[in-house]
Structures are given as C-alpha cells and as structure tokens.
Amino acid sequence: MKLKLRYLGFVLALPFLFIYSCKTQKGKFEFVNPKSGSKVLKGEKLQLKLNFNDVAIDSVVYSVDGDIIDRKTDTTAVAFDTDKHGYGSKRLSAKIYAQGKEDIAYSDLLVVPPAPKAYAFEVVNTYPHDSTAFTQGLYYDNGTLYESTGKEDRTSLRKVDLKTGKVIQKIDGDGTFFGEGMTVVGDKIYFLTWLNKKGFIYDKTSFKLIKSFDYGKSAEGWGLTYDGKQFIKSDGSANIYFLDPVTLQETGSVQVFDDNGPVDRINEMEYVDGKLFANIYDQSKDEVVIIDPTTGVIEGRVNFVGLYDGLRKSADNEMNGIAYKSDTKTFLVTGKDWTKLFEIRLKER
C-alpha cells in the first residue's frame, strides 16, 4: 500500500515537475542588461545583453515598443541609443529563433531627463485678494487681472483691479458647471469647465458668451494658456494637450516628465518665453514647475512653501493661479480662497 501511494505521489508530481522545469528553462533566456525596471537618463547609450543559456541560435530580433532596431545571428550585444527615443516607459524585447523554436524576453525601462534646477523667489509686492475666490485661472493685462473661479456654486469669471483686489466686472456660473482655468487672447477670454468636457469663449470687454467648444481625448479641464500659435491645456493627468487656435480641437499631446518619471496633477499654466510655468495641484506643497512644452521635460522647480502666511484649511486651499507681468518680468501668484496675491521674481539657486 505504501509503495502504491508513493508511486501515485510520484505520478501526481510529474506534471508539476514538468511545468516547473519548463518555466525554469524558459526563464534563463532573459535580459542581463538592462534589468527590467531600470531607470536611465536620456542620452545614455546602453548595451543590450542577454543570457542565451548556451543555445545555438539562428537569429535574434531586437525591438523597442514593437519597432525593430536590430537583427543578429550571434549572441553579441546590441547598442541602444536612448537619444533616439522619447521619454517615458520603453519595452525592450528580444525574440530568439533556435532549433526550430522561438522564445522572447522582455525588459521594461524608464527613460528620464536630468533633475530639474531649483529656483528661489523674491516677493516684490503683496496685494489683497478676495478670500471667497476659489481661484482656478489668472491672467494679467495692463494693470488688470482676469480671474476664473471654481466650485459649482461659486464659479465666476471676473475682472479685478490688481492693486486693490476689487472686482470691477463679474459674471457668475449657472450652477451646472465647475469653473476651471482660463486665458485671454486678443479680444476673447477662453474659459474651461472641470467635468463637463466643454469650454466657453467670452468677449473680453462685455463678458458676453460667444460660443462653446468640446474637449477631445483630454477627459477634464484644468489649466489653459496660449503660446502665440496654439492653446495648451492640462487635464490633471501627466499629459498636456495642444489645441488648434481657431477650432480648439486637440492636435496632439506630450507627457510631462522629471527625473523620476511622469508628473501628473498639472494645473493652472502660464506660457512665458518658450516655457510653461505650471501649478502642481497638491495641498501638501506649494510648487510651480517649469516645463519645456516641446519635450514635456520639467526643467525647473519653485518651492513656495512659506509664501502664504494666512490660515490654511486641510483641503480646498491649494496654491493656484499664476500670471506674468511682462513689463516687470515678474509673476503674480495666489491660491484658492487666499486673502493675498503676491508679485514675485524668480531666480535660479
């Protein structure tokens, strides 16, 4: 009886041993360099190396994100120039053909830029700010601030005197949408909503509604700015979107990166001299990042912790709103329900 049981146990174990043996054998064909999960700086030149398990190969096909970069009939390393590929996650694959069979190995790596430069700030002026303004967008034009505010019951578009903080002109939302970022181009104001997938265009002087426009792949409306040729929109993800200046239809997008990978929660933005200055939506830190919109790379960071000395709530009191004064080359910054608005000058540390 014991012999039979032992024999039966051996038979039952055979499939497990077979499966385990196959997995072990197959796992030996793998990337030695780079190891999956590696992070590399863009511009690095890597040598792709594999463990071939002493198999006599016919050929190996190397690919990056499905695009073939090399073919080999031997086991020598393959050069991979990260400069020829964009930032972000890249899937390397090597397909081996040997003894009438094929196998494939993968390695995932993250291509990142250098660490952003740190910037300090100097407070030039402090102005009063409406503490009931849940600031979402800010734009400066000849001594006047244009500001958009959020929350369904407090959404508004307003014109504000910079020095006094007094509201000169204002229209309120109808309670059906949550106001978000805005910008001014020529004689028009372009205003986003958060979740309605719709934006509005107003006359700059009368605040009369001209028309609305729909979003594309960007799921939400967060920040909006204009670079002189096209609109640039954020939606809370790590992507920024480019919009046609006439139709406001999306024409493309780029992912925002720093030295640790994709950076999301890009909020209110201001385009200045080829760069995007953008708030990061985060109650735990008051931060503005400087983005190259052509590559998505974060080139600089500004830590504004300590700027606002007013009482802070645990939520809905984030720093948000950034505008540029081209005459003084300074920035105007504030936050949701802040009692103050600051004029600051940036300087590299």
Side-chain angles (χ1 to χ4, degrees):
M1 185 66 177
K2 287 182 179 179
L3 286 174
K4 288 182 179 179
L5 286 173
R6 286 175 183 168
Y7 177 74
L8 180 60
F10 176 72
V11 171
L12 290 171
L14 275 177
F16 172 77
L17 289 172
F18 178 73
I19 293 170
Y20 179 78
S21 175
C22 286
K23 285 185 176 180
T24 303
Q25 184 70 15
K26 187 175 182 179
K28 288 185 178 179
F29 173 58
E30 61 185 354
F31 276 89
V32 175
N33 187 64
K35 287 288 188 181
S36 193
S38 299
K39 185 171 68 174
V40 298
L41 282 174
K42 193 163 190 285
E44 282 190 51
K45 294 176 173 56
L46 306 177
Q47 293 295 310
L48 307 187
K49 297 179 182 179
L50 293 145
N51 180 359
F52 288 94
N53 194 31
D54 298 325
V55 173
I57 70 166
D58 297 319
S59 64
V60 189
V61 178
Y62 294 85
S63 301
V64 179
D65 292 336
D67 296 325
I68 296 173
I69 60 169
D70 208 344
R71 299 175 188 269
K72 288 275 191 177
T73 56
D74 56 36
T75 59
T76 56
V78 167
F80 173 58
D81 186 354
T82 58
D83 236 356
K84 296 180 180 179
H85 301 269
Y87 294 97
S89 299
K90 304 296 170 190
R91 167 151 279 203
L92 307 178
S93 65
K95 185 176 285 188
I96 184 174
Y97 298 90
Q99 300 172 350
K101 298 179 181 178
E102 66 178 61
D103 198 356
I104 191 164
Y106 296 101
S107 183
D108 295 310
L109 73 157
L110 188 64
V111 180
V112 299
K117 295 178 181 177
Y119 285 78
F121 65 90
E122 171 194 0
V123 176
V124 178
N125 284 302
T126 302
Y127 305 103
H129 182 253
D130 182 0
S131 63
T132 66
F134 197 73
T135 306
Q136 300 289 63
L138 204 62
Y139 186 89
Y140 174 81
D141 183 22
N142 267 342
T144 301
L145 278 177
Y146 291 85
E147 185 174 14
S148 58
T149 66
K151 287 194 175 295
E152 286 83 356
D153 59 341
R154 288 201 278 153
T155 287
S156 69
L157 180 62
R158 51 180 71 186
K159 189 184 294 184
V160 181
D161 180 81
L162 172 62
K163 291 185 177 180
T164 65
K166 290 183 179 179
V167 178
I168 304 168
Q169 188 176 353
K170 176 185 172 188
I171 56 169
D172 294 312
D174 60 7
T176 63
F177 62 89
F178 190 120
E180 279 286 346
M182 53 75 66
T183 193
V184 177
V185 180
D187 59 356
K188 296 180 180 66
I189 300 172
Y190 298 79
F191 183 21
L192 300 177
T193 65
W194 180 23
L195 299 175
N196 297 66
K197 292 186 71 69
K198 187 181 291 291
F200 300 106
I201 304 174
Y202 295 90
D203 180 87
K204 178 183 172 184
T205 303
S206 66
F207 278 17
K208 181 180 178 181
L209 178 64
I210 298 172
K211 64 178 181 179
S212 64
F213 60 93
D214 296 323
Y215 302 164
K217 291 181 180 178
S218 55
E220 301 176 3
W222 284 46
L224 188 69
T225 189
Y226 185 71
D227 69 0
K229 296 180 180 179
Q230 61 190 342
F231 289 94
I232 304 176
K233 176 181 180 289
S234 63
D235 69 346
S237 69
N239 294 322
I240 53 174
Y241 299 83
F242 306 104
L243 312 183
D244 183 274
V246 178
T247 66
L248 282 95
Q249 297 302 296
E250 291 171 15
T251 58
S253 65
V254 67
Q255 195 169 36
V256 178
F257 276 86
D258 66 7
D259 55 321
N260 291 309
V263 175
D264 60 5
R265 304 177 81 77
I266 305 297
N267 206 1
E268 155 76 335
M269 301 181 295
E270 184 83 354
Y271 181 86
V272 181
D273 296 334
K275 307 296 179 185
L276 285 177
F277 292 75
N279 288 114
I280 298 294
Y281 178 62
D282 190 335
Q283 177 71 13
S284 67
K285 55 185 177 182
D286 297 336
E287 184 177 66
V288 166
V289 294
I290 304 169
I291 306 167
D292 181 341
T294 59
T295 63
V297 171
I298 292 180
E299 298 181 338
R301 287 185 184 277
V302 193
N303 183 353
F304 283 102
V305 170
L307 170 66
Y308 182 57
D309 57 3
L311 294 175
R312 298 289 291 270
K313 296 180 290 186
S314 59
D316 285 350
N317 214 185
E318 297 84 3
M319 183 181 190
N320 199 40
I322 181 167
Y324 184 63
K325 284 179 91 266
S326 59
D327 54 340
T328 56
K329 298 189 183 303
T330 54
F331 289 88
L332 301 170
V333 296
T334 189
K336 303 171 189 286
D337 294 342
W338 285 19
T339 59
K340 298 176 182 178
L341 181 146
F342 303 89
E343 182 175 355
I344 58 98
R345 181 172 284 111
L346 298 181
K347 50 187 178 182
E348 191 175 333
R349 290 187 186 276

